[in-house]
Amino acid sequence: MIAVIAGGAGAMALVGWFFFGSNGRDAREAVDRIAPAEADAPAARCDLSIAGMHCASCVGRVEAALKSAPGVRDAAVNLLTGSASVTFDPGSGSPDALVAAVEGAGYHAAVADERVFEAAAASEPDRARHAGTSGATRRFLFSLALSIPVIALGMGPHVGLLPMRWSESAWSRWIQLALATPVVFWAGSGFIRGASVSLRRRTADMDTLIATGTLAAYGYSLAVTLAPERAARAGAHGVYFETAAAIITLILMGRMLEERARRRAGAAIESLIELQPRTARRVQDGREQDVPIAEVIVGDLLLVRPGEKLPTDGVVVSGESWVDESMITGESAPAGKRPGDAVTGATLNGAGAFTMRATRVGGDTALAHIVRLVERAQASRAPIQRTADAVTAIFVPAVLMIAVAAFAAWLASGPPPRLPHALVAAVAVLIVACPCALGLATPTAMLVGTGRGARLGILFKDAGAMESLWRARVVVLDQTGTITEGRPALTRVVAAPGFDEEQILRLAATVERKSEHPLARAIVAAADELAVRPDGEVGAPKLGLPGGGMAGRAHARAAEPMGFEALSGRGVFARVEGKAVLVGSLALLRERGIETREMDEEAEKLASGGATPVAVAVGKRAAGLFGISDPIKPTSAEAVARLNALGISVHMLTGDGRATAATVARQVGIDHLVAEVLPEHKAGEIRRLQKDFGTVAMVGDGINDAPALAQADVGVAVGSGADVAIESADVVLMRSDLIGVADAVDLSRAVMHNVRQNLGFAFGYNALCIPVAAGILYPFTGWLLSPVLASAAMAMSSVSVLTNALRLRGFKPSYGTARAPASAASRSVRPAA
């Protein structure tokens, strides 16, 4: 008997080795960047709502059914949210086929509608959750009311609470039978129904274990009650109605607590939705009218009074105020708003009042996009979850085999009475096993973590991004708009002999007006500061620029440029007033055969002072230099220090000149710098770092950062960046400073630490309790685990995992040191080339 039980324990240990030994060799192999690499045609995406899943075995069955449907490329099923995200080929697959596949697996499915983003819609899913919880509560209370007298009659005599003669009396057994029957077949009907569905489909899940154990105890007791003399001859004494009733009651209690914990875990989505106000004050024909938020359309004028939430996204038309945007960006300091400034719906207005024009409404608002991102992230699965799924795929069959082995061992060589002992051991094994804890360990922590991140202004697009960021040992930062403000300003103008400052500024601005580069915008903005008059004359500047010589001059506005050409990462060229004008780096001028030696020394001075030198050539002559400075964000140095404290090596990757970039890197504390990198070569630099150091995170905000963001193991885009950069990234920071990067790393580590805690507890619980339930301790201690205690332990295992994950709701970024992942702790980071 000991050998058989030890064999079962050994099997669980083997599963444990598989589980922890294969824990994530390389996250990159499991994370899909943008779209499946083998796909030539664009894939369609369908989100499904799935009902009837109770454990990780259910998840595996639904996922297998979806992946076998026609045209499906990938499917991810989430137990906690009751959802599935499916990618399929529109030509060969369809949502109806996906629903049919899930229905064929024995579950209910429906295509999830896009959430209508208004407060009224938010109450519907909440009502549905409450309805489900109240149903579980009713069944639990019914079961509890009937189980208490059953447990008292069944166990009371053995603990001295009732006379011992009651234990063997026929009337006591019949009363227990009458009370336990509705508990098993009504309160526990869901388990029996689920087990029967699994049996018809030749599979097994959590319901199979519960129903088998409960019906075994009930059937044995029923036989003893109906035929006591025949049962006595077979060595069967006593009944276990209290075991069957207690198992159902305790598991229902666990399900009820689990549902409540799930609702709390998913509260982040509901809290985000509730930020949206229900009404807006529309101004039309000089009159104000309160209208439902759903009636607001793009172009409406809306009045926002002091202390009110902004109804939708828009632009300030008149008035000024301060707006608290912390619910969107996580930034506590309010932002000043004046005419022309963009505002975001659901943010909180301060003491001023203003009128705004709606630019995005309903599902197009920033808050709606945030909610969709968080929902999809919570519905996705982290790569580490796949290992847990592999374990749960064999978990239930393994438990059934261990239960049969324990029953046979006790029946063959156990102490008398052998049959009751064998039954108790087998039922205890079936009931104590809990694949639910394994299935909930990862998605619960991810759900709470992504929700908490959204409240901090950190949006993870999927769970894989969370795990990849946790593994990152190198963070690469772009310079312009990431470390710096991204709003360069012209601070110095130096003209070559034969040219004057205003002339070269006018010509350069004429060319640069067709460019979107931040340095181009700085030149154009400086030219605009010269206060162009309506008649086309240029007067004295409003803001004096160092370099002198421009005040009081007046020249005609330059004509429109001809033959404009953007030279990616180097500069621009056009013909202005018949002259060839080239604006860009000194290297670009030299490439075009233009002599720059007279400017080299001045360019070095500008660069050493942190300014970017931009050269201007007119014809074949170097005409002058612009010194353009981009202020460093106040929090950049602090963010770099925090990343270093977290054990992460920070690198800077920029297209700016080496001297300027080195100055910026030195000021913020970055030791590893790669400068003068063209946009098309940034992805190559990321590949080099990945080869040298493993997992790499890239932070950027511009269009030219998109390839590097996509190449990195995890791309991080600041919310103020270009749309294409945000689309290419895996993590989006709603704030524009780098503190959010350190916060995101901190959060990812807290979440993954929580995941490992949950998985360790879930596996450790099963590895310990199953052998004990089988009776491995009985030969040494005489102790055998009661099925009632087994059911209580099983019910609380899932609740414990959920409760541990809920601690992440109180996560606050730390400002001290943190340990890196153990798998990467020994890596040394070498300076970049």
Side-chain angles (χ1 to χ4, degrees):
M1 180 182 71
I2 296 177
V4 174
I5 297 173
M12 293 305 297
L14 182 63
V15 172
W17 172 85
F18 171 78
F19 180 75
F20 288 106
S22 61
N23 186 16
R25 294 287 185 260
D26 191 347
R28 253 176 292 149
E29 297 177 357
V31 180
D32 185 9
R33 281 292 135 219
I34 304 299
E38 70 278 6
D40 295 324
R45 176 191 173 107
C46 179
D47 294 327
L48 301 176
S49 297
I50 300 174
M53 296 190 299
H54 299 300
C55 67
S57 299
C58 300
V59 171
R61 192 173 309 128
V62 172
E63 193 167 283
L66 286 171
K67 288 182 177 179
S68 65
V72 172
R73 296 183 182 179
D74 193 22
V77 180
N78 191 300
L79 171 64
L80 197 65
T81 59
S83 63
S85 178
V86 187
T87 305
F88 64 96
D89 294 316
S92 54
S94 68
D96 290 340
L98 299 178
V99 171
V102 176
E103 297 281 352
Y107 301 87
H108 300 292
V111 177
D113 296 329
E114 284 289 334
R115 189 187 296 273
V116 178
F117 199 77
E118 54 187 68
S123 61
E124 191 62 33
D126 195 51
R127 283 197 298 269
R129 287 191 179 94
H130 279 290
T133 303
S134 62
T137 302
R138 285 195 301 271
R139 289 181 181 270
F140 164 68
L141 294 176
F142 174 85
S143 179
L144 179 64
L146 297 185
S147 297
I148 288 176
V150 175
I151 295 171
L153 288 171
M155 302 183 67
H158 298 283
V159 295
L161 296 178
L162 295 174
M164 193 62 194
R165 64 179 182 275
W166 288 18
S167 175
E168 300 295 330
S169 63
W171 63 266
S172 175
R173 295 176 179 177
W174 282 101
I175 292 176
Q176 293 179 56
L177 171 62
L179 295 175
T181 298
V183 172
V184 173
F185 293 101
W186 184 79
S189 60
F191 306 126
I192 298 174
R193 187 165 51 249
S196 64
V197 171
S198 298
L199 182 62
R200 288 197 300 271
R201 302 190 180 281
R202 299 180 182 180
T203 58
D205 58 11
M206 189 66 210
D207 287 341
T208 305
L209 300 180
I210 297 172
T212 302
T214 303
L215 292 178
Y218 179 86
Y220 171 89
S221 303
L222 179 64
V224 171
T225 302
L226 296 179
E229 294 180 0
R230 183 176 299 179
R233 287 196 297 271
H237 301 281
V239 293
Y240 293 96
F241 287 119
E242 82 284 354
T243 297
I247 288 171
I248 295 294
T249 302
L250 289 170
I251 293 175
L252 285 175
M253 180 190 70
R255 290 276 174 94
M256 179 187 68
L257 295 175
E258 184 179 316
E259 285 294 331
R260 292 181 178 179
R262 288 187 186 187
R263 191 168 66 251
R264 290 175 60 199
I269 289 289
E270 301 302 333
S271 64
L272 284 172
I273 295 173
E274 290 170 1
L275 292 174
Q276 181 75 19
R278 295 177 179 271
T279 61
R281 186 170 289 106
R282 184 163 58 195
V283 180
Q284 193 171 22
D285 299 328
R287 293 182 301 174
E288 300 175 10
Q289 180 184 10
D290 287 339
V291 296
I293 195 67
E295 295 183 10
V296 176
I297 62 174
V298 173
D300 278 351
L301 285 177
L302 307 174
L303 177 64
V304 182
R305 294 180 177 176
E308 291 183 340
K309 289 183 179 179
L310 276 64
T312 186
D313 295 359
V315 176
V316 177
V317 175
S318 63
E320 295 184 4
S321 185
W322 291 88
V323 177
D324 179 1
E325 298 179 329
S326 59
M327 62 282 297
I328 300 293
T329 65
E331 175 59 61
S332 58
K337 300 296 179 182
R338 60 185 61 187
D341 289 344
V343 290
T344 305
T347 54
L348 185 63
N349 185 31
F354 59 87
T355 302
M356 58 175 283
R357 187 178 302 278
T359 57
R360 291 187 296 186
V361 299
D364 294 329
T365 61
L367 186 58
H369 285 300
I370 290 173
V371 169
R372 280 194 290 271
L373 277 176
V374 175
E375 284 180 328
R376 290 186 176 181
Q378 292 180 344
S380 65
R381 292 190 307 156
I384 195 174
Q385 177 67 22
R386 299 186 182 183
T387 309
D389 292 344
V391 173
T392 54
I394 62 172
F395 183 87
V396 175
V399 170
L400 289 172
M401 288 190 293
I402 293 173
V404 171
F407 183 84
W410 278 95
L411 197 61
S413 56
R418 293 180 178 178
L419 181 59
H421 278 127
L423 179 69
V424 168
V427 171
V429 168
L430 293 171
I431 298 302
V432 82
C434 187
C436 292
L438 283 171
L440 292 171
T442 299
T444 307
M446 290 293 177
L447 185 144
V448 180
T450 52
R452 179 57 182 155
R455 300 293 295 187
L456 294 172
I458 305 166
L459 302 181
F460 290 89
K461 289 188 177 180
D462 57 52
M466 180 84 74
E467 184 171 344
S468 294
L469 189 58
W470 167 68
R471 296 184 184 280
R473 301 300 296 121
V474 173
V475 169
V476 180
L477 305 178
D478 176 50
Q479 177 181 321
T480 304
T482 304
I483 297 175
T484 62
E485 294 285 357
R487 294 189 296 270
L490 182 61
T491 56
R492 185 166 178 81
V493 180
V494 179
F499 297 91
D500 61 63
E501 290 88 343
E502 190 278 333
Q503 179 187 10
I504 62 173
L505 177 59
R506 177 172 55 87
L507 292 172
T510 301
V511 178
E512 295 283 26
R513 286 185 190 277
K514 291 186 174 292
S515 173
E516 292 297 324
H517 196 279
L519 298 183
R521 291 197 294 268
I523 294 173
V524 172
D528 290 342
E529 287 292 335
L530 293 176
V532 178
R533 296 196 183 114
D535 61 1
E537 294 297 314
V538 181
K542 291 180 180 177
L543 300 176
L545 294 173
M550 289 188 293
R553 299 184 179 229
H555 295 273
R557 183 199 293 266
E560 283 295 314
M562 303 294 290
F564 176 83
E565 180 183 359
L567 309 172
S568 179
R570 293 175 293 172
V572 292
F573 169 82
R575 302 191 72 85
V576 182
E577 300 173 350
K579 303 172 184 177
V581 179
L582 185 66
V583 185
S585 64
L586 289 172
L588 174 61
L589 268 63
R590 287 192 287 267
E591 285 179 15
R592 296 297 179 96
I594 299 172
E595 180 60 52
T596 64
R597 280 183 296 181
E598 295 181 358
M599 294 185 178
D600 288 345
E601 184 178 351
E602 188 64 34
E604 290 179 5
K605 291 180 180 178
L606 291 172
S608 63
T612 299
V614 177
V616 183
V618 178
K620 285 295 184 179
R621 292 184 58 196
L625 273 178
F626 297 134
I628 301 177
S629 297
D630 187 5
I632 295 174
K633 293 177 181 178
T635 57
S636 292
E638 178 188 350
V640 171
R642 278 190 59 196
L643 289 170
N644 287 332
L646 289 167
I648 290 178
S649 176
V650 182
H651 295 232
M652 191 168 87
L653 183 63
T654 179
D656 283 1
R658 179 169 296 276
T660 303
T663 300
V664 173
R666 184 172 58 254
Q667 290 176 349
V668 298
I670 295 176
D671 298 325
H672 311 287
L673 168 66
V674 180
E676 299 177 354
V677 181
L678 296 177
E680 58 267 27
H681 295 158
K682 284 189 174 183
E685 288 294 330
I686 296 297
R687 282 192 292 270
R688 181 183 64 79
L689 289 172
Q690 288 171 324
K691 182 179 179 180
D692 290 343
F693 307 122
T695 305
V696 173
M698 168 70 189
V699 185
D701 78 321
I703 293 175
N704 59 353
D705 297 323
L709 290 171
Q711 173 61 40
D713 297 277
V714 54
V716 183
V718 295
S720 59
D723 289 342
V724 66
I726 293 175
E727 288 298 322
S728 302
D730 305 292
V731 183
V732 177
L733 305 179
M734 301 305 294
R735 296 160 59 180
S736 61
D737 63 62
L738 288 177
I739 289 294
V741 179
D743 290 348
V745 172
D746 219 351
L747 176 60
S748 71
R749 293 189 176 184
V751 170
M752 294 307 300
H753 181 63
N754 193 277
V755 167
R756 292 169 74 87
Q757 285 179 334
N758 287 346
L759 289 174
F761 170 79
F763 179 79
Y765 161 84
N766 285 291
L768 175 65
C769 290
I770 290 177
V772 170
I776 197 171
L777 297 180
Y778 186 84
F780 310 103
T781 65
W783 189 74
L784 189 62
L785 181 64
S786 164
V788 175
L789 294 178
S791 60
M794 190 277 283
M796 296 311 298
S797 62
S798 295
V799 176
S800 299
V801 167
L802 287 163
T803 302
N804 186 51
L806 285 172
R807 294 189 302 110
L808 291 169
R809 296 175 68 189
F811 166 81
K812 293 181 180 178
S814 64
Y815 293 90
T817 59
R819 289 187 299 176
S823 60
S826 61
R827 296 179 186 167
S828 61
V829 179
R830 299 190 298 263

